[in-house]
Amino acid sequence: MSFDPERLAQPAIRRLRAYDPGHDLPRLRTRFGAVLAELGSNENALGPSPAALEAAHAALSETYRYPDPRCGALREALAQQHGVTPDQLVFGNGSHELLMQLAQIFAGADAAVMHAQFGFAVFPIAAAAAGAPAVCVPALPRTHPTAPLGHDLDAMADALREDVRLIYLANPNNPTGTWFTHAALEAFLQRVPRDTLVVVDEAYGEYMQAPGLDTAIALLDAHPNLIVTRSFSKAYALAGLRIGYLLAHASVAAVFERLRESFNINQVAQAAARAVLDDAAYLQSAIDINAAERARMERTLSERGFATLPSQTNFLLLDLGEDAQVLEQRLFDQAVIVRPMGGYGLPHTLRVSVGSRAENDRFLETL
Ligand SMILES: Cc1ncc(COP(=O)(O)O)c(C=O)c1O
């Protein structure tokens, strides 16, 4: 028999389908040059804060040393910002890594994972990688007034079973852009047993502005089974440095630390993240520009008869009411990169990031 590594892999890995990161962008940058509109990955087109860039440059001279395994300076600053103790934080090479490892730690053949239909794609992948059964709860209907296709927290609470150990929620959610309120989360947590962990993925947390929408961090004290993940990739514009973190009860963080690779956060990322936290003006302008551009895109699209879902993020989900693949390909041919959502079971939709004003204009004109 020939050598077959597929056969040698663990059963869960054999069944696994990897996360799809989208097009080969380095190749497309060479092909299209400056006209390329990169609206497929929900990055912050403003570019990094000058303070973050300067700190990153300064940190380069220390790269012959291993980075601080505790992320000490960043840890202290974030603990203060969020009103938690430093031992409640765990850092990840992007929050994606943390989401995957949470399942590795807490889920398995006898410990199921629950997530919502149209929730972030990493959730079912994390469950599958851990060999855990996944309970996928149907999303709210398209006609829902505030969160069409969003998480149905009541249905998720109703669907709880004894073996569910880990629940993933995204607030706001990718790819729908929808959200649930703080009060709804509080009511949900009341219905979840203590031994079931609830992860609230707040990768887009800095963009929250809607009434009643707020970070779950304030609920950590009352709910030791709550875990909140955050990212420096979106509003803080450090996607390329790969850094995210979670906030949890200190005892949960301590369990997590056993799996974390000690030096998973390089020192350039630590320095840039620490610096951008002090650049409040940068964050505010990133939030304001995003809100204004998103509103402009929503308005223009609506005037042209395109339906979008309500969003509290840096992207919009367009519902075309017909197969979106053809339009995505035609935009691609014109160097406008957006993300088709067939993989999410939403073949009629396209996800479009809020880019720079020029990129957004290119998208709208090309459309
Ligand atoms: C909902 C959500 N969570 C987590 C992530 C992962 O972000 P990162 O690993 O860059 O922190 C993303 C990235 O797009 C996301 O959309």
Side-chain angles (χ1 to χ4, degrees):
M1 203 200 255
S2 63
F3 176 65
D4 179 10
E6 178 76 24
R7 194 174 47 84
L8 304 179
Q10 291 299 308
I13 303 301
R14 254 182 270 158
R15 289 191 296 268
L16 195 60
R17 285 183 49 203
Y19 178 76
D20 172 12
H23 289 291
D24 180 352
L25 287 160
R27 198 175 57 78
L28 296 179
R29 286 175 199 135
T30 308
R31 173 172 162 197
F32 290 116
V35 299
L36 187 68
E38 297 192 30
L39 304 178
S41 298
N42 304 340
E43 295 144 341
N44 178 352
L46 204 55
S49 118
L53 263 188
E54 196 180 318
H57 277 135
L60 282 174
S61 64
E62 294 297 315
T63 48
Y64 68 105
R65 302 279 190 207
Y66 280 99
D68 173 4
R70 286 193 67 253
C71 300
L74 181 60
R75 180 183 295 273
E76 295 295 331
L78 278 170
Q80 198 164 19
Q81 176 184 311
H82 291 305
V84 299
T85 55
D87 58 359
Q88 288 186 262
L89 289 155
V90 181
F91 292 89
N93 199 261
S95 58
H96 187 151
E97 178 179 76
L98 297 169
L99 293 168
M100 292 294 294
Q101 290 179 340
L102 280 165
Q104 200 180 338
I105 295 166
F106 294 110
D110 310 320
V113 168
M114 176 181 281
H115 62 89
Q117 183 189 22
F118 314 135
F120 184 41
V122 164
F123 304 158
I125 294 174
V135 182
C136 176
V137 179
L140 290 165
R142 238 186 186 77
T143 49
H144 192 274
T146 54
L149 307 179
H151 293 6
D152 185 342
L153 294 184
D154 289 334
M156 292 179 87
D158 289 344
L160 276 169
R161 348 181 278 219
E162 190 116 321
D163 66 332
V164 172
R165 178 75 49 78
L166 190 62
I167 304 172
Y168 286 110
L169 308 173
N171 200 32
N173 181 46
N174 173 15
T176 57
T178 52
W179 65 96
F180 49 81
T181 63
H182 198 67
L185 177 62
E186 252 185 311
F188 177 74
L189 288 169
Q190 296 298 340
R191 295 186 61 190
V192 176
R194 270 279 161 112
D195 284 347
T196 301
L197 294 154
V198 178
V199 180
V200 182
D201 171 352
E202 295 185 353
Y204 301 93
E206 292 79 17
Y207 295 115
M208 293 175 174
Q209 287 180 325
L213 171 60
D214 206 350
T215 174
I217 294 170
L219 299 173
L220 283 169
D221 273 351
H223 299 277
N225 56 337
L226 175 65
I227 298 167
V228 182
T229 62
R230 308 279 298 216
S231 176
F232 279 98
S233 301
K234 307 298 177 182
Y236 285 117
L238 297 177
L241 287 179
R242 311 303 302 126
I243 176 162
Y245 57 99
L246 66 73
L247 304 106
H249 203 261
S251 58
V252 174
V255 172
F256 197 113
E257 279 294 331
R258 291 187 204 148
L259 182 69
R260 189 181 67 84
E261 188 268 300
S262 319
F263 302 111
N264 62 334
I265 312 297
N266 69 77
Q267 56 227 25
V268 179
Q270 292 189 34
R274 175 68 194 86
V276 75
L277 280 185
D278 282 346
D279 196 348
Y282 172 84
L283 180 64
Q284 196 56 51
S285 68
I287 293 167
D288 292 345
I289 291 170
N290 179 69
E293 278 297 294
R294 191 180 65 214
R296 184 173 77 92
M297 290 169 81
E298 276 174 322
R299 221 172 27 244
T300 313
L301 288 164
S302 155
E303 282 163 10
R304 299 202 200 149
F306 288 100
T308 54
L309 268 60
S311 170
Q312 284 287 291
T313 62
N314 63 349
F315 61 85
L316 287 170
L317 192 70
L318 268 71
D319 193 345
L320 300 175
E322 60 180 38
D323 193 342
Q325 200 81 43
V326 177
L327 181 59
E328 191 265 336
Q329 183 60 47
R330 294 180 72 179
L331 289 167
F332 177 88
D333 293 340
Q334 302 292 317
V336 176
I337 309 303
V338 300
R339 195 67 84 89
M341 290 288 126
Y344 275 88
L346 292 166
H348 293 177
T349 66
L350 287 180
R351 196 192 65 198
V352 185
S353 306
V354 177
S356 67
R357 195 176 173 92
E359 285 178 307
N360 302 336
D361 280 342
R362 280 223 55 227
F363 162 68
L364 293 168
E365 281 159 20
T366 312
L367 191 68

